[in-house]
């Protein structure tokens, strides 16, 4: 079904992710290219409630494709959980003559968008902007590839110093509910241990493994996802030290460095394709869904499914990491 969508609002919400700017640029330019107008909404749902709107011309999004963060700013907005504030947000959109929205964010953003869209019959399409890669309906989320490479670079640097002193390092990477960053950077960084929320952590088994490393005087790296069931890197390091204290042990939490920086080529291309797909989808009458890419093609997945079903972790990858991390 074709629609008469003219003015499209775009916002970024939740945790920022490298590539959000590339996505905003694509939304703005493809909207204009179709003869419409683009409006930037500042600070996520907060800006929707407050009416922080700014018309965006094609040149307003020049020179941002390579920038991390988001020029539209992002925010957590507790007020959007309440129907009364969402009603005010709806009134703001009417006042500004905005016909449809593109929201760039993670599962929380899509939950808010779904509720709002259904409540007010308002067309919204989401694009997956989160470093966690935890959304169903896309092979990768915008920002994930950049975060992986940032974390990996940090792990490589730590490996150099760990090796010089035969130290044991616990390195914590982001991922409250999903271990994609830990698993992939752990494999790529040659970690001796990878601890992720998707699999039960066996501290005694890890200690036995690290004991072997100590015999051969190796340094060791254990990559810990922040959402691991045994705790973050600090807690896990303490638990290991209680059982085996021969290693000179250090903990590094990479933290927000993983969110910043210039997006990789893969993230820029993904963000650009998805921004264009979101606008195309709205013009085709689609709404209440996320634009994603699976097996090279754009697909639209209802918010409900994108949020609820986690992308499956490949169990073979963890096994592979364990096989290759033995000490000789
Ligand atoms: P990230 O994955 O990086 O954390 P996110 O989109 O999941 O990103 P959240 O902070 O969970 O980030 O959600 C962003 C915003 O979405 C919230 O601040 C809130 O405004 C809105 N939101 C989340 N859940 C709901 C809900 N149940 N009802 C209404 N709005 C919601």
């Amino acid at each position: 079904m074709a629609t008469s969508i003219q003015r499209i609002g775009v916002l970024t919400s939740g945790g920022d992710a490298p590539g959000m700017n590339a996505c905003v640029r694509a939304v703005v330019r493809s909207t204009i290219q179709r003869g419409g107008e683009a409006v930037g909404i500042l600070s996520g749902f907060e800006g929707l409630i407050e009416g922080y709107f700014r018309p965006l011309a094609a040149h307003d999004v020049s020179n941002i494709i390579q920038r991390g963060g988001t020029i539209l700013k992002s925010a957590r907005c507790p007020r959007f959980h309440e129907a009364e504030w969402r009603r005010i947000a709806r009134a703001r959109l009417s006042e500004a003559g905005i016909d449809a929205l593109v929201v760039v964010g993670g599962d929380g953003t899509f939950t808010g968008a779904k509720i709002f869209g259904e409540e007010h019959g308002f067309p919204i399409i989401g694009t997956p902007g989160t470093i966690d890669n935890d959304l169903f309906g896309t092979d990768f989320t915008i920002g994930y590839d950049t975060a992986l490479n940032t974390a990996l670079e940090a792990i490589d640097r730590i490996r150099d110093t760990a090796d010089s002193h035969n130290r044991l390092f616990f390195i914590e990477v982001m991922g409250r509910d999903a271990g994609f960053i830990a698993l992939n950077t752990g494999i790529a960084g040659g970690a001796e241990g990878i601890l992720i929320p998707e699999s039960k952590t066996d501290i005694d088994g890890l200690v036995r493994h690290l004991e072997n490393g100590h015999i051969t005087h190796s340094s060791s790296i254990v990559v810990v996802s922040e959402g691991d069931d045994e705790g973050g890197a600090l807690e896990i390091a303490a638990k290991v030290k209680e059982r085996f204290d021969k290693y000179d042990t250090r903990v590094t939490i990479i933290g927000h460095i993983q969110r910043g920086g210039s997006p990789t080529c893969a993230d820029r291309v993904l963000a650009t394709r998805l921004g264009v797909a979101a606008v195309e989808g709205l013009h085709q009458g689609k709404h209440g869904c996320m634009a994603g890419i699976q097996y090279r093609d754009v697909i639209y997945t209802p918010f409900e499914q994108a949020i609820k079903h986690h992308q499956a972790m490949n169990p073979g990858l963890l096994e592979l990491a364990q096989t290759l991390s033995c000490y000789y």
Side-chain angles (χ1 to χ4, degrees), residues 156-237:
D156 285 346
R157 285 169 189 255
I158 291 167
R159 169 77 74 189
D160 289 345
T161 172
D163 207 36
S164 304
H165 295 272
N166 290 334
R167 281 183 177 142
L168 165 62
F169 267 86
F170 291 87
I171 305 175
E172 184 178 303
V173 297
M174 282 188 169
R176 261 173 317 190
D177 306 309
F180 289 103
I181 296 179
L183 180 59
N184 287 283
T185 57
I187 290 172
E192 280 69 31
I194 300 173
L195 311 182
I196 56 174
E198 290 83 352
S199 78
K200 174 114 197 61
T201 291
D202 169 14
I203 298 282
D204 291 322
L206 176 65
V207 167
R208 282 194 298 280
H209 186 55
L210 294 171
E211 279 172 349
N212 289 335
H214 193 259
I215 294 166
T216 56
H217 300 289
S218 306
S219 63
S220 287
I221 301 272
V222 178
V223 177
V224 182
S225 193
E226 63 179 328
D228 187 74
D229 61 319
E230 287 286 346
L234 279 165
E235 285 153 292
I236 290 176

Side-chain angles (χ1 to χ4, degrees), residues 109-131:
T109 300
F110 294 167
T111 305
K114 175 183 177 309
I115 294 169
F116 181 79
E118 288 172 359
E119 208 167 52
H120 296 285
F122 198 83
I124 309 181
I125 288 193
T127 60
T130 168
I131 63 168

Side-chain angles (χ1 to χ4, degrees), residues 12-275:
T12 52
S13 165
D16 64 308
M20 279 182 161
N21 281 329
C23 189
V24 169
R25 172 181 177 269
V27 170
V28 170
R29 292 204 170 162
S30 55
T31 298
I32 293 167
Q33 216 236 334
R34 285 174 169 271
E37 292 169 292
V39 178
I41 297 162
L42 306 181
S43 304
F45 293 131
E46 193 63 30
L48 209 52
I49 291 171
E50 295 295 333
Y52 298 149
F53 300 159
R54 185 182 141 204
L56 292 173
H59 63 81
D60 289 322
V61 290
S62 292
N63 208 18
I64 65 167
I65 195 167
Q66 79 284 9
R67 283 171 57 188
T70 160
I71 60 158
L72 295 180
K73 312 283 182 191
S74 189
R76 315 267 181 195
C77 175
R79 288 192 291 175
F80 208 66
H81 287 255
E82 294 169 35
E84 184 52 21
W85 290 110
R86 293 195 297 269
R87 195 189 58 71
I88 290 170
R90 177 67 184 91
R92 298 269 189 238
L93 288 168
S94 295
E95 285 157 22
I98 294 173
D99 306 312
L101 276 180
V102 176
V103 297
V104 188
D107 54 357
T109 300
F110 294 167
T111 305
K114 175 183 177 309
I115 294 169
F116 181 79
E118 288 172 359
E119 208 167 52
H120 296 285
F122 198 83
I124 309 181
I125 288 193
T127 60
T130 168
I131 63 168
D132 293 337
N133 205 37
D134 59 350
L135 291 163
F136 181 79
T138 191
D139 292 336
F140 303 110
T141 57
I142 298 165
Y144 170 62
D145 187 64
T146 308
L148 277 184
N149 283 292
T150 305
L152 180 61
E153 190 187 339
I155 292 169
D156 285 346
R157 285 169 189 255
I158 291 167
R159 169 77 74 189
D160 289 345
T161 172
D163 207 36
S164 304
H165 295 272
N166 290 334
R167 281 183 177 142
L168 165 62
F169 267 86
F170 291 87
I171 305 175
E172 184 178 303
V173 297
M174 282 188 169
R176 261 173 317 190
D177 306 309
F180 289 103
I181 296 179
L183 180 59
N184 287 283
T185 57
I187 290 172
E192 280 69 31
I194 300 173
L195 311 182
I196 56 174
E198 290 83 352
S199 78
K200 174 114 197 61
T201 291
D202 169 14
I203 298 282
D204 291 322
L206 176 65
V207 167
R208 282 194 298 280
H209 186 55
L210 294 171
E211 279 172 349
N212 289 335
H214 193 259
I215 294 166
T216 56
H217 300 289
S218 306
S219 63
S220 287
I221 301 272
V222 178
V223 177
V224 182
S225 193
E226 63 179 328
D228 187 74
D229 61 319
E230 287 286 346
L234 279 165
E235 285 153 292
I236 290 176
K239 287 177 187 175
V240 168
K241 214 167 170 55
E242 261 171 32
R243 294 163 171 81
F244 181 68
D245 65 357
K246 299 264 185 320
Y247 261 118
D248 184 9
T249 303
R250 296 286 189 278
V251 173
T252 300
I253 297 170
I254 303 180
H256 282 78
I257 289 170
Q258 290 159 97
R259 286 200 186 279
S262 186
T264 58
C265 178
D267 269 333
R268 294 183 205 189
V269 173
L270 177 68
T272 300
R273 287 188 69 191
L274 292 181

